[in-house]
C-alpha cells in the first residue's frame, strides 16, 4: 500500500469515527477534527457519500453567513457492531448500527468470572447464538467489543485476572477465532470513562474522574481529554486504596480496600443483614424474588426511598466520598462523574459524597471540582464496548 493510499485510508476511517461519536458534522468540523485540509476532507466525504456510508442532511444553524451542510452516517447502512458488557456476575450483549442505534434487545448471560465452574465456551456459545438469532449477516458485522473487569491490557488483548486461555494465544485472539469476527477487549471502568467522555457528562471536558459504581468499585481517568492508562495500563485501581474501616477481605486477597465498603454487592449484603436483624423494609419482599440479583432489588428500593436502603447507601457512598476526596487532592479534576450500574440511584448519591468532600477536602480545591451524575448508567459500558470496534476498524 502506497503512503498516499494509506493516508487516505486513515482519513476515511477518521471521518467515519468522528461522525460516529458526534452524530452530525460539517466539512469544516471534520477538517478541524482530522487536522486535514478542507479539499482533502471534501474529497473523502464525497467518496463516502457515493459508497452510501454517509449522507448529507440539512444545514447548521446560521451564524450570519452561508449555512454549512451537515453530514452524518447513513442510518440505513447495513453495518453493525456487537457490544458486550461483562461484570463479575453477568454478561450483557447487544448489537448497534453505526448510528449508535440498538438494533437488538439486550441479552443476558449469567456468568461468574471468578467461578471455576464458568466455562469460556459458555461465553462463546452465548455470543455466537446471539449473533445467529439476530439474523444479521456476519459479513455485515464489523467486529465485537468486550468490556470486562480485571487487569486488562487492551493493546495485547489480555486479561491478567480472568478467562485464562492456553499458552501461545491471547484471550482476544482466542475469542476471535471462535466467533470468526474481529474482537477487542478493554477494562470495564476504562470503557465507562470513555463512554462519559464521548457520549455523556464528560463531553468537551479535559480532566475528569469517572467512578464506576458496580458489583465492584472502579475508576477511569481522563487527562487532557484522553483516557489515562498509566505506564503498564493499570491506572485507576481506585477500589484498592486502603480506606476501609473494616477488616473484611477484598477480592484481591488483601484487607482494608475501599471496595469492601462501597460495592453494590456489599450494599445488598448489608441490607439483607439489616432485615435479618429485624429492620422493616420493602426489600424483605423484594429479596424473595430470585429472578433478579439482590443488588438490583436494593437499587430499586433506593429509587423508592426505602429508609433501610437509603441508610445503607449513604454509609457506603460516604466511604466512597473519602476516596473521591483523595482523588480531588491528587488530581484536581474539573469534574467527577458517578457512573455505572449504581448511578441508577440518582440524586441519592450526592448528599453522602458531598458530605465526605466537605469533611475531608480542602475547600479551595474541592470547590473547583463539580460532581455529576451519569445519564448513561448501565448502558455506558455497552456503548463504549461497541466503540472499541469503531476505534480499531479501518473501514476498508
Amino acid at each position: 500500500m502506497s503512503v498516499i493510499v494509506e493516508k487516505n485510508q486513515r482519513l476515511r476511517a477518521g471521518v467515519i469515527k468522528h461522525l460516529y461519536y458526534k452524530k452530525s458534522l460539517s466539512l469544516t468540523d471534520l477538517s478541524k477534527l482530522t487536522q486535514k485540509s478542507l479539499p482533502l476532507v471534501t474529497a473523502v466525504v464525497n467518496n463516502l457519500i457515493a459508497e452510501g456510508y454517509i449522507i448529507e442532511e440539512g444545514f447548521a444553524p446560521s451564524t450570519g453567513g452561508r449555512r454549512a451542510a451537515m453530514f452524518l452516517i447513513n442510518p440505513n447502512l447495513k453495518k453493525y457492531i456487537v457490544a458486550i458488557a461483562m461484570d463479575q456476575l453477568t454478561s450483557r450483549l447487544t448489537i448497534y448500527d453505526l448510528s449508535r442505534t440498538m438494533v437488538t434487545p439486550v441479552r443476558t448471560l449469567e456468568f461468574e468470572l471468578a467461578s471455576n465452574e464458568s466455562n469460556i465456551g459458555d461465553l462463546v456459545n452465548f455470543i455466537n447464538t446471539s449473533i445467529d438469532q439476530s439474523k444479521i449477516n456476519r459479513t455485515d458485522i464489523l467486529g465485537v467489543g468486550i468490556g470486562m473487569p480485571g487487569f486488562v491490557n487492551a493493546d495485547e488483548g489480555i486479561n491478567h485476572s480472568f478467562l485464562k486461555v492456553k499458552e501461545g494465544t491471547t484471550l482476544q485472539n482466542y475469542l476471535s477465532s471462535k466467533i470468526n469476527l474481529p474482537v477487542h477487549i478493554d477494562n470495564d471502568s476504562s470503557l465507562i470513562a470513555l463512554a462519559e467522555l464521548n457520549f455523556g457528562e464528560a463531553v468537551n471536558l479535559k480532566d475528569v474522574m469517572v467512578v464506576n459504581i458496580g458489583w465492584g468499585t472502579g475508576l477511569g481517568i481522563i487527562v487532557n481529554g484522553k483516557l489515562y492508562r498509566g505506564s503498564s495500563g493499570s491506572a485507576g485501581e481506585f477500589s484498592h486504596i486502603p480506606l476501609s474501616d473494616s477488616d473484611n477481605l477484598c477480592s484481591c486477597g488483601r484487607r482494608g480496600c475501599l471496595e469492601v465498603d462501597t460495592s453494590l454487592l456489599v450494599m445488598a449484603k448489608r441490607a439483607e443483614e439489616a432485615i435479618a436483624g429485624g429492620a422493616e423494609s420493602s426489600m424483605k419482599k423484594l429479596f424473595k424474588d430470585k429472578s433478579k440479583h439482590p443488588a438490583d432489588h436494593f437499587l430499586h428500593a433506593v429509587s423508592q426511598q426505602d429508609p433501610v436502603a437509603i441508610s445503607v447507601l449513604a454509609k457506603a457512598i460516604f466511604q466512597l466520598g473519602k476516596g473521591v476526596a483523595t482523588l480531588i487532592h491528587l488530581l484536581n479534576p474539573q469534574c467527577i462523574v458517578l457512573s455505572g450500574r449504581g448511578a441508577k440511584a440518582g440524586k441519592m448519591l450526592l448528599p453522602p459524597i458531598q458530605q465526605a468532600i466537605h469533611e475531608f477536602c480542602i475547600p479551595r480545591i474541592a470547590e473547583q471540582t463539580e460532581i455529576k451524575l451519569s445519564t448513561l448508567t448501565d448502558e455506558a459500558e455497552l456503548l463504549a464496548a461497541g466503540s472499541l470496534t469503531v476505534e480499531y476498524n479501518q473501514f476498508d
Side-chain angles (χ1 to χ4, degrees):
M1 184 184 292
S2 71
V3 173
I4 294 176
V5 171
E6 187 176 348
K7 285 183 177 179
N8 284 339
Q9 188 64 47
R10 285 202 299 268
L11 177 55
R12 170 192 171 92
V15 166
I16 294 172
K17 289 172 188 176
H18 286 302
L19 288 173
Y20 173 81
Y21 287 121
K22 301 296 185 181
K23 287 283 192 180
S24 179
L25 294 167
S26 68
L27 292 172
T28 301
D29 294 330
L30 287 166
S31 177
K32 290 177 180 177
L33 288 167
T34 60
Q35 299 183 325
K36 300 296 180 184
S37 70
L38 191 58
L40 190 57
V41 169
T42 301
V44 168
V45 167
N46 286 336
N47 286 336
L48 288 168
I49 290 174
E51 294 174 27
Y53 252 97
I54 65 178
I55 60 173
E56 180 180 338
E57 184 174 271
F59 296 90
S62 175
T63 57
R66 184 178 178 182
R67 295 169 66 194
M70 302 299 289
F71 300 88
L72 68 158
I73 292 175
N74 185 352
N76 297 316
L77 182 68
K78 302 299 182 183
K79 295 293 181 184
Y80 305 97
I81 49 183
V82 179
I84 302 169
M86 302 183 71
D87 58 35
Q88 286 88 339
L89 301 176
T90 60
S91 297
R92 295 173 294 132
L93 179 152
T94 192
I95 300 177
Y96 292 99
D97 63 19
L98 283 183
S99 296
R100 300 206 317 264
T101 299
M102 197 180 284
V103 298
T104 65
V106 176
R107 295 170 58 91
T108 302
L109 171 71
E110 299 301 319
F111 189 86
E112 293 192 32
L113 277 174
S115 172
N116 292 328
E117 296 178 4
S118 292
N119 189 332
I120 192 170
D122 295 338
L123 177 63
V124 169
N125 291 337
F126 170 65
I127 298 170
N128 280 326
T129 299
S130 297
I131 293 172
D132 292 342
Q133 291 182 350
S134 74
K135 305 299 183 184
I136 294 173
N137 193 320
R138 284 187 185 238
T139 58
D140 293 329
I141 295 177
L142 298 173
V144 179
I146 306 176
M148 56 181 65
F151 292 106
V152 179
N153 186 315
D155 292 331
E156 296 179 4
I158 297 171
N159 188 330
H160 294 286
S161 304
F162 304 110
L163 299 180
K164 300 293 191 296
V165 294
K166 62 183 179 181
E167 289 187 20
T169 189
T170 65
L171 175 61
Q172 180 172 293
N173 289 340
Y174 175 84
L175 291 172
S176 182
S177 69
K178 297 297 183 181
I179 300 166
N180 200 27
L181 286 168
V183 172
H184 296 283
I185 67 173
D186 206 340
N187 172 265
D188 56 345
S189 294
S190 294
L191 286 180
I192 286 171
L194 286 172
E196 296 295 345
L197 178 66
N198 291 315
F199 314 118
E201 295 300 321
V203 170
N204 297 324
L205 298 181
K206 293 291 186 182
D207 300 298
V208 183
M209 306 292 107
V210 180
V211 179
N212 174 18
I213 305 171
W215 303 138
T217 304
L219 178 71
I221 305 172
I222 306 296
V223 176
N224 198 26
K226 295 181 180 179
L227 182 69
Y228 177 74
R229 295 185 183 275
S231 61
S232 62
S234 299
E237 283 302 320
F238 176 55
S239 60
H240 302 297
I241 296 175
L243 286 176
S244 173
D245 292 332
S246 76
D247 195 39
N248 293 337
L249 191 67
C250 179
S251 59
C252 72
R254 290 171 174 78
R255 300 183 188 277
C257 294
L258 184 65
E259 184 171 297
V260 303
D261 288 332
T262 59
S263 75
L264 287 177
L265 290 177
V266 170
M267 292 186 221
K269 182 179 178 183
R270 287 182 175 169
E272 289 178 312
E273 289 171 350
I275 291 169
E280 288 299 324
S281 167
S282 62
M283 290 181 288
K284 196 175 207 177
K285 181 178 179 181
L286 289 173
F287 286 151
K288 292 178 181 178
D289 176 9
K290 303 302 180 183
S291 65
K292 293 183 179 180
H293 192 278
D296 289 319
H297 289 312
F298 171 77
L299 284 173
H300 176 74
V302 168
S303 71
Q304 299 302 305
Q305 300 188 18
D306 179 279
V308 174
I310 291 173
S311 175
V312 169
L313 180 83
K315 289 176 183 177
I317 300 304
F318 179 79
Q319 284 296 107
L320 186 72
K322 290 170 69 174
V324 167
T326 302
L327 296 179
I328 291 173
H329 283 140
L330 287 175
L331 299 165
N332 186 213
Q334 293 170 277
C335 174
I336 290 178
V337 181
L338 306 179
S339 189
R341 184 186 295 262
K344 287 181 177 180
K347 293 181 180 179
M348 298 292 182
L349 297 169
L350 294 177
I353 282 275
Q354 289 167 338
Q355 180 187 350
I357 290 172
H358 291 321
E359 189 169 330
F360 298 107
C361 261
I362 297 171
R364 188 170 180 275
I365 299 175
E367 65 190 16
Q368 298 171 22
T369 299
E370 183 179 5
I371 307 296
K372 290 187 175 184
L373 292 171
S374 173
T375 56
L376 301 176
T377 62
D378 55 355
E379 195 188 351
E381 189 181 349
L382 283 169
L383 277 169
S387 302
L388 281 175
T389 294
V390 176
E391 278 297 319
Y392 286 97
N393 203 288
Q394 295 304 306
F395 298 98
D396 298 326

